[in-house]
Every structure is written in C-alpha cells, then in structure tokens.
Amino acid sequence: MYFELMASMMCADYGNLEKEVKSLEEGGIDSFHIDIMDGRYVPNYAMSLNDMRYIAGSASKPLDVHLMVEHPNNRIGLFLDSLRKGDTVYIHPEAEYHPSTTLQSIINAGMVPGIAINPGTSVETVMEMLRIVKKVLVMSVNPGNAGQMYLPYVGKKITKLLSIKEDMDFEIYWDGACSADKILEYAPKGVAGFVLGTTLLFGKEQPYAETLQNIRELRF
C-alpha cells in the first residue's frame, strides 16, 4: 500500500535545519510540509517566508505549503515566486473573500492547488472549490499549534470526502495528531498522505530512515 509522508517542518530542529532537510530526504520523506502562520488567522506565529525559501533552496523533494494567513491573495505572489513548479499550496477558504481567485493564481503559477478544511468547516461549504483543487488537507485538530488532541468527529468528514473524491478528482491528506492507529485505519480507505509531526516523526531516538520505514511498512 502506498501513501505519502510529509514532514511537518515546524517541528524540526532549527539549530540544524540543513541537516534535518538532508536526513529527512535520505530517509525517504516525500515532501516538506511548511506551516505559515500570521498570528491573525490563527493565534500563533510559526514558519516564515524566509524559512520556506531556505527549505525550498535546500530540498530536492517538493514543498507542501499550508498558508494559515488572512487574505492570502494579497501576498500570494511572494510565496509563489519562491516555490518550484509542482509544489503544493493550500489556502483556507474562510481566510479569503474570493478563494477561487487565489486558487487560480496558484494554478497559473504551475503549482498544485489545495484547500485546508478546519474541523468546524463542513464539506458542503467548500463543494464548488473541490471541483478545482487537486488536494484537500483535512485538519483533524484546530489549526495553529502542534501537539493537539485528535477531534474524533473529523472522521465522518473524511468518510464523506472519500465518497466523492473520485468523481471530483482530488486527493485527501491528513494533518494533525497523526498517530499510528490513524494511518492504519485511513490509509487503506484511501487517504493519500499524512503530515507527520511530534507524534510519529520528530523527537524520536532513532534515525529518520528507520522511523519512516516502520511507518511505510505499518510496523507499530
């Protein structure tokens, strides 16, 4: 069974960021998940534009950029100009007056368009955008902080998205509180990838290559 694994870089060791990027790539990570937070859309500041630029310049694997910012269309060019064609950019529909305009800018720049769905956002409110995005990042926790508890009602939302993803041509990705039991349950159902943070990847007493291999082989 194949599923993508993305490293949540807000959990990385910033004192050795270049080493972290190289070790994760050598260990077999599929992409680098970049959480950009503005302190307004979410009550926290996380990674910056310069952090993203540094990783984009150091990594050969794709970037998976999650914009947790108000009105991303006002500054979307700053991010798109620093990324490579084929990188993914997610926006939150609630953060923009006209999210489809922002998504079109992402498409025009050669990036993969995505939306992130908060726990309190229903599938019905984003239905039209599902027709133009390629990736849907389902937040299983409220956005803004690492290390939060899984919100169990999100599972029904994922089930609903799984039932329509083939018809609407998008893939589903999991973000937040990604534990072994969640991968064991949802990867076979069709969730395409998982963002890995402190629960499974970072802060462990073993090399990234060993950790990632165990996850891929579902050896928990």
Side-chain angles (χ1 to χ4, degrees):
M1 181 193 314
Y2 176 76
F3 48 86
E4 295 179 42
L5 298 177
M6 301 101 84
S8 178
M9 295 306 288
M10 68 180 289
C11 303
D13 178 4
Y14 275 71
N16 299 281
L17 190 54
E18 183 177 7
K19 181 181 177 181
E20 289 277 73
V21 170
K22 290 182 178 178
S23 295
L24 286 162
E25 289 202 326
E26 291 170 357
I29 201 70
D30 291 308
S31 63
F32 295 95
H33 188 77
I34 311 296
D35 285 307
I36 306 289
M37 302 182 192
D38 65 356
R40 294 170 63 87
Y41 181 69
V42 291
N44 192 17
Y45 293 94
M47 302 180 72
S48 70
L49 177 62
N50 283 341
D51 293 327
M52 187 198 78
R53 285 172 172 163
Y54 179 83
I55 295 172
S58 302
S60 59
K61 297 292 181 69
L63 266 62
D64 195 61
V65 179
H66 180 187
L67 297 180
M68 285 174 271
V69 302
E70 284 190 352
H71 306 303
N73 196 52
N74 293 347
R75 299 289 184 270
I76 193 68
L78 291 174
F79 296 95
L80 298 178
D81 289 345
S82 302
L83 294 172
R84 296 82 51 93
K85 291 186 184 303
D87 287 340
T88 298
V89 180
Y90 301 97
I91 65 167
H92 282 264
E94 303 94 337
E96 191 64 85
Y97 291 127
H98 304 290
S100 60
T101 300
T102 311
L103 291 169
Q104 191 60 53
S105 296
I106 295 168
I107 295 168
N108 292 345
M111 314 298 171
V112 179
I115 55 171
I117 303 181
N118 289 330
T121 301
S122 68
V123 173
E124 287 76 14
T125 62
V126 299
M127 190 65 72
E128 295 308 318
M129 277 169 282
L130 296 178
R131 303 181 189 279
I132 58 176
V133 300
K134 292 300 180 183
K135 295 184 177 181
V136 176
L137 187 71
V138 179
M139 302 296 296
S140 67
V141 300
N142 287 310
N145 291 284
Q148 296 186 71
M149 296 295 293
Y150 166 67
L151 298 172
Y153 59 85
V154 174
K156 292 184 178 180
K157 182 185 302 181
I158 293 176
T159 299
K160 184 176 294 186
L161 288 166
L162 286 167
S163 71
I164 61 176
K165 75 181 188 71
E166 297 297 331
D167 181 56
M168 303 188 81
D169 191 26
F170 63 82
E171 295 291 347
I172 302 166
Y173 293 80
W174 180 293
D175 188 9
C178 184
S179 57
D181 62 310
K182 299 303 182 295
I183 296 178
L184 286 167
E185 179 178 358
Y186 286 97
K189 291 181 178 180
V191 172
F194 301 85
V195 178
L196 304 178
T198 55
T199 302
L200 285 181
L201 182 60
F202 291 98
K204 310 306 176 188
E205 296 182 357
Q206 62 183 13
Y208 289 135
E210 183 178 344
T211 300
L212 291 167
Q213 184 65 25
N214 288 339
I215 295 170
R216 290 195 188 282
E217 296 179 2
L218 300 177
R219 296 186 304 195
F220 300 114

